[in-house]
Amino acid sequence: MRGIRAHRRAVAVVLALLVVTGCSRAGQDPPAAVQPPADTPIVVSARASGSRLLPGQATDPFTSRVVNLMFRGLVRHDAKGKAVNEVAESIDTDDSETFRVRLREAWTFSNGDPVTAASFVDAWNAAVRPGSGNRYANAFSSVLGFAAVHGSPGVAPRSRTMTGLTILDPRTFTISLTGPRPGFVNRLAHPAFAPLPPEAFGDPAGFASLPIGNGPYRLEQPWTGGPELTLRPNSSYPGTDRAQNAGLTFRVYPSPGRAYADVQTGRLDVLDGVPVSVLGTFKDEFKLRAVNQPVGVTQSLVFPATSPVWGSPRGRRLRHAVASAINREALSSQLFRGTRQPATDLASPVVEGHSDDACGQDCRFDPALATAALRDAAGPPDGGLIIAYAADGDDLTWVSPLCASITQTLGMPCRPTPVPTQAALATAVAAGTMTSPFVATSTMAVADLSGFLDPRFLFGSTDNDSSYPDRRTQQLLVIAQQTAPGARLPLYQEVTRRVLADLPVVPLWSVNATAVSSQAVKGVKLDVFGVPVYQEITRP
């Protein structure tokens, strides 16, 4: 009976908070706007950036999107997540350890300079050197000679170039790895593997404000972090996903609510990430111009292993208490209106290997189990539970009812604590100064189970926000990377079981991508990563 009463109280709290969030103008068509000329850039929503416009330093979603439109590597992911050759004409290997890369002919940067084998090799070597500012240096850790260039704890670098990269001619080079990596080619779509022209090395700061890329778009004017950034089509781009519009203007909004209002009035063309307060009505309001699509995105609470409280054995019991005290079903159905699916795994259901019950009891609302775990932990931590979130997004609308549900179930104080922007939160996490649990929205790196696990739990990965240290998990992840795709699924499933037994992250739900667009554009669709396919958005 106690569990039933707690369930009802938690649902009541969620419903009460739903009223506070307000509602939209359901059933009302947005006012007709004057159709902009065809050569007007498409105006799309963005969030504040904390990164420079360089492939190896794009760590926030906004900068990553812009960089992916300006730079292209050997391969790219299509809208379904499949890796397809881009600058590479071919990538051949007999052993998944040495790869021979042949570049397509006549591919150039936007300034007309050719993209050569040296464009890749020089960029990759520079990315690995200490002091480069490249947050994704570890993406190259499997390349032979990485440690000699990057150094390691207590060991200084002793080379400026990786021995695993050899230029054979202007269009051909080889990549030698420290061992077999059957999935290596798929990972080359990451922006860290993009080529760079010589200008990037002489004046990195100047280059970052006006990058010269080789992708479907180019930057016309220097950008130093203002509220708008405009890209124009790169006329020399020879790829298959050329820009079909006159350009893109990324406009930074302080909140999704402000952006939604601008789509309603026609001032903004495309918003991806519909505010929680209108999830129950946006499809009725925007009809065919509304998108609600399952993608490879999840949300969770991350508990830093470096925290004296949360990284301790007691912290493990506390994490289990919190996990069982969350009513995912109520939040998903009543707050998110079916745009979230309660988590049962670390991955979303869009990939093979997703399990309907990997998380077991810890992902089910169970007040009795949660209370017992809290009792085993000798009660709440001093000050209760603090959950940090980015204030420039929409997270407070669900972190507040989530906290209320935890408090109702456990009697443990729970307080949402804002960090000004997503970029600022990412900076604090990277610096190791975030000691409280925090909200994490994770997009798969590649469209399979590894894309949810390698980045988040491999030691040294930029995206291992929990600093999860389990040695056996590290061993399994390395073995999985060395195993053929058809045989590695059981290894990743074992990693999942180990991580969920420790709960360095508490899974919440998989996230549907939501979007709305104005009457002034057409062709809006999202890829499997939840990102608009910007090149295909056009004006009627």
Side-chain angles (χ1 to χ4, degrees):
M1 289 299 293
R2 184 182 185 280
I4 294 173
R5 288 195 297 270
H7 172 79
R8 288 172 177 168
R9 287 196 301 270
V11 172
V13 169
V14 171
L15 290 173
L17 281 157
L18 280 171
V19 174
V20 175
T21 60
C23 59
S24 73
R25 306 175 306 153
Q28 299 181 22
D29 289 329
V34 176
Q35 179 64 39
D39 62 353
T40 304
I42 309 295
V43 184
V44 299
S45 63
R47 291 175 69 171
S49 168
S51 311
R52 298 199 296 177
L53 296 177
L54 293 173
Q57 298 183 28
T59 56
D60 63 89
F62 164 61
T63 312
S64 295
R65 292 181 181 193
V66 174
V67 164
N68 275 322
L69 292 169
M70 290 196 298
F71 291 90
R72 285 298 168 81
L74 298 172
V75 301
R76 67 177 176 87
H77 290 132
D78 65 15
K80 295 183 179 180
K82 179 183 178 182
V84 296
N85 282 358
E86 182 74 335
V87 183
E89 179 180 283
S90 62
I91 304 176
D92 299 317
T93 183
D94 294 325
D95 55 9
S96 295
E97 185 171 349
T98 299
F99 300 81
R100 187 178 189 275
V101 179
R102 180 70 172 168
L103 305 183
R104 288 176 58 180
E105 191 174 7
W107 200 298
T108 67
F109 290 101
S110 59
N111 65 353
D113 290 345
V115 176
T116 66
S119 305
F120 285 93
V121 171
D122 291 348
W124 296 4
N125 280 319
V128 171
R129 293 173 195 140
S132 67
N134 191 314
R135 288 282 307 281
Y136 293 104
N138 275 297
F140 302 90
S141 61
S142 59
V143 178
L144 202 63
F146 167 83
V149 178
H150 187 64
S152 59
V155 180
R158 58 182 186 276
S159 176
R160 289 185 58 80
T161 58
M162 290 182 282
T163 55
L165 302 178
T166 303
I167 297 174
L168 302 181
D169 62 51
R171 288 178 53 205
T172 312
F173 69 103
T174 59
I175 309 168
S176 296
L177 307 182
T178 55
R181 294 290 192 280
F184 181 73
V185 171
N186 200 10
R187 298 177 186 279
L188 290 174
H190 192 285
F193 291 95
L196 291 173
E199 290 86 344
F201 310 114
D203 180 16
F207 183 83
S209 68
L210 188 60
I212 300 168
N214 65 320
Y217 289 89
R218 60 186 175 84
L219 187 64
E220 284 190 319
Q221 302 293 329
W223 185 75
T224 55
E228 288 193 355
L229 178 151
T230 297
L231 299 177
R232 291 288 187 175
N234 175 12
S235 59
S236 65
Y237 173 70
T240 56
D241 61 331
R242 295 176 62 87
Q244 299 176 27
N245 48 55
L248 302 164
T249 293
F250 287 85
R251 180 177 294 158
V252 175
Y253 281 89
S255 70
R258 288 275 298 275
Y260 191 80
D262 273 7
V263 181
Q264 290 174 312
T265 60
R267 186 169 180 267
L268 176 66
D269 290 318
V270 181
L271 165 65
D272 66 291
V274 172
V276 173
S277 60
V278 297
L279 288 177
T281 57
F282 81 101
K283 289 187 288 185
D284 289 336
E285 181 173 356
F286 283 86
K287 299 180 174 62
L288 295 178
R289 292 180 288 109
V291 178
N292 178 24
Q293 172 185 323
V295 293
V297 179
T298 63
Q299 281 185 319
S300 58
L301 298 181
V302 177
F303 294 78
T306 53
S307 164
V309 174
W310 296 107
S312 68
R314 180 190 177 214
R316 183 177 185 271
R317 293 189 287 272
L318 286 170
R319 297 194 298 270
H320 282 274
V322 170
S324 298
I326 298 170
N327 195 331
R328 295 165 181 78
E329 289 283 353
L331 288 164
S332 297
S333 62
Q334 298 164 16
L335 182 60
F336 292 120
R337 302 298 184 95
T339 62
R340 307 287 192 275
Q341 290 78 47
T344 60
D345 198 343
L346 292 165
S348 82
V350 301
V351 298
E352 180 186 5
H354 171 270
S355 168
D356 290 335
D357 197 33
C359 196
Q361 288 291 111
D362 286 309
C363 284
R364 290 193 282 271
F365 181 57
D366 190 330
L369 185 65
T371 302
L374 183 63
R375 186 168 54 249
D376 289 344
D382 293 341
L385 175 64
I386 296 172
I387 299 178
Y389 69 94
D392 63 339
D394 209 21
D395 291 338
L396 180 60
T397 55
W398 62 264
V399 176
S400 286
L402 182 143
C403 258
S405 176
I406 291 171
T407 299
Q408 285 283 349
T409 303
L410 294 175
M412 177 169 63
C414 181
R415 186 173 75 253
T417 301
V419 177
T421 64
Q422 182 63 46
L425 178 59
T427 298
V429 171
T433 58
M434 181 59 64
T435 57
S436 72
F438 56 90
V439 171
T441 301
S442 303
T443 301
M444 61 185 180
V446 295
D448 59 35
L449 202 56
S450 73
F452 288 97
L453 299 176
D454 286 340
R456 300 195 71 191
F457 303 109
L458 193 63
F459 185 76
S461 168
T462 302
D463 296 319
N464 185 349
D465 293 340
S466 67
S467 299
Y468 183 55
D470 181 63
R471 286 182 177 274
R472 179 54 182 163
T473 296
Q474 305 306 315
Q475 292 170 350
L476 288 168
L477 288 172
V478 171
I479 293 170
Q481 289 185 347
Q482 298 171 349
T483 303
R488 65 187 182 185
L489 186 58
L491 291 167
Y492 281 116
Q493 290 172 326
E494 185 177 348
V495 167
T496 297
R497 288 190 292 270
R498 292 191 65 85
V499 172
L500 289 175
D502 280 347
L503 286 181
V505 304
V506 169
L508 296 175
W509 34 72
S510 56
V511 180
N512 283 14
T514 57
V516 291
S517 56
S518 74
Q519 299 175 10
V521 295
K522 63 179 182 179
V524 177
K525 67 179 183 180
L526 307 181
D527 64 22
V528 73
F529 302 97
V531 177
V533 183
Y534 292 109
Q535 300 92 308
E536 298 183 13
I537 304 173
T538 60
R539 297 201 179 277

